[in-house]
Amino acid sequence: MSLDNPPPPALAKVPPAARLKRDYDADQLQEDLRVLSEHRWSLQRSYADDGTITEAEIDWRCLSLRSAAGNLERTDPGGPGLVEHEDTIWRDKAPYFSQLLADIPAELRAVRLLSLGPGAKSWLHNDTKYGPAWGNARLHVPVTTCDGAKLFMEGTLHQWQPGEFWFGDFSRMHQVENTDTVPRVHMVIDALVSEELLELFPDEYLADLDRDDVLINKKRVPLTEDQLGAHAVAFPIPVSFPSWEEEDGEFLQPQEQAEATITVIDGALVLSVAGKPTAKLIHTGEGEFRFAGWTDERTITVTRSGENATVTLRTRVGTTVRELDIAATPL
């Protein structure tokens, strides 16, 4: 959570939040919540690149319906790496939640029930690259609320009601608090921005939105294991590029290089850096791959020509693309 990657200035033309063109049955939402509340939820956690786990210091609890590798312990939204997001055992126990999620026209990453307890208050912050400029859409379905539950987005008070469906650009400054005596529970859905998802936005929001400021993610294009193997290469990589938190365009600056390989491991194409498997690669067409668990914000393309190969590293903010071609050695 930082200001290293604030949203492009053009996105300030649209509000940081929009109520989408769907509503859900509050009673059915709360019935599923009742079933899932029969045990104590975990405190919200964050995971650093070095493996450090930090628990929330406020009463902010989570139950994951979908997480990195379907791990029940992962209460964070996850990020690029070796595993993809999968449903947890809790989704099967919540039929209305499951139906709601199945009808969202976008690829889903993390899906969490977040409970903001009485007296809890976050700091004013933004979530790095969690906005449409980077292909991320964070969606909220309020399940329960109370008068003291408040969300401030760029200083404006929001109090979303059960059954409503909201988008929030949480790459912009925001803060939550609960001054009431009961928790507030939202379903928080991280999805990859798609054209079909944008159709759920209100017409007045879309009228002011410049589509060049939005990154639309490509669909997956499955490859056979033999086809994956044709993209196996070795090449030097700027050390900042594998980190999704790097500042935009940082990988183009002079910096240390690491030896990298792209090889097939357990039936998947994997990027390894300095001998360490770092990210599973998801094919999006024409030899271009995004990192598992992330968006098209950064991709790797492998181009083969006889005994020669080129790796192209790309980052995207909206439709703005920065790229670097690197000579590679076929493996």
Side-chain angles (χ1 to χ4, degrees), residues 30-39 63 90 93-95:
Q30 290 161 16
E31 174 58 24
D32 275 7
L33 176 64
R34 184 192 64 76
V35 172
L36 296 177
S37 298
E38 292 176 352
H39 76 286
L63 186 78
W90 298 118
K93 300 179 184 298

Side-chain angles (χ1 to χ4, degrees), residues 127-306:
D127 298 331
T128 302
K129 297 185 180 178
Y130 270 86
W134 299 279
N136 274 307
R138 179 159 284 174
L139 313 174
H140 277 234
V141 178
V143 181
T144 67
T145 193
C146 50
D147 291 341
K150 300 174 183 178
L151 164 65
F152 296 92
M153 300 197 73
E154 296 188 334
T156 298
L157 172 63
H158 292 261
Q159 290 183 295
W160 302 339
Q161 298 303 304
E164 296 175 352
F165 192 26
W166 284 86
F167 156 79
D169 183 351
F170 290 92
S171 69
R172 296 158 77 164
M173 298 303 291
H174 61 279
Q175 185 175 27
V176 294
E177 67 178 21
N178 184 1
T179 60
D180 220 306
T181 59
V182 294
R184 180 218 75 176
V185 178
H186 282 196
M187 180 190 292
V188 180
I189 304 158
D190 289 326
L192 273 61
V193 176
S194 66
E195 288 286 0
E196 295 83 0
L197 183 63
L198 286 180
E199 292 175 3
L200 297 181
F201 281 65
D203 295 341
E204 58 271 20
Y205 182 96
L206 295 176
D208 293 333
L209 180 67
D210 188 337
R211 292 298 184 94
D212 286 343
D213 298 325
V214 178
L215 172 56
I216 304 295
N217 296 280
K218 298 177 183 177
K219 308 291 186 184
R220 294 173 178 239
V221 180
L223 296 176
T224 66
E225 189 163 336
D226 285 344
Q227 290 172 320
L228 291 174
H231 295 87
V233 292
F235 63 101
I237 192 171
V239 294
S240 70
F241 186 79
S243 173
W244 64 276
E245 288 191 309
E246 74 155 9
E247 294 187 33
D248 184 43
E250 182 181 344
F251 74 105
L252 299 174
Q253 304 303 316
Q255 62 185 271
E256 180 185 351
Q257 306 287 302
E259 288 301 316
T261 59
I262 296 176
T263 55
V264 178
I265 300 177
D266 295 331
L269 205 61
V270 173
L271 169 70
S272 297
V273 179
K276 180 182 178 181
T278 301
K280 178 181 175 182
L281 301 179
I282 307 300
H283 187 233
T284 59
E286 299 180 348
E288 186 169 18
F289 300 82
R290 64 170 172 251
F291 293 0
W294 197 236
T295 72
D296 290 1
E297 182 267 335
R298 63 192 49 232
T299 64
I300 297 178
T301 299
V302 179
T303 305
R304 296 280 294 267
S305 178

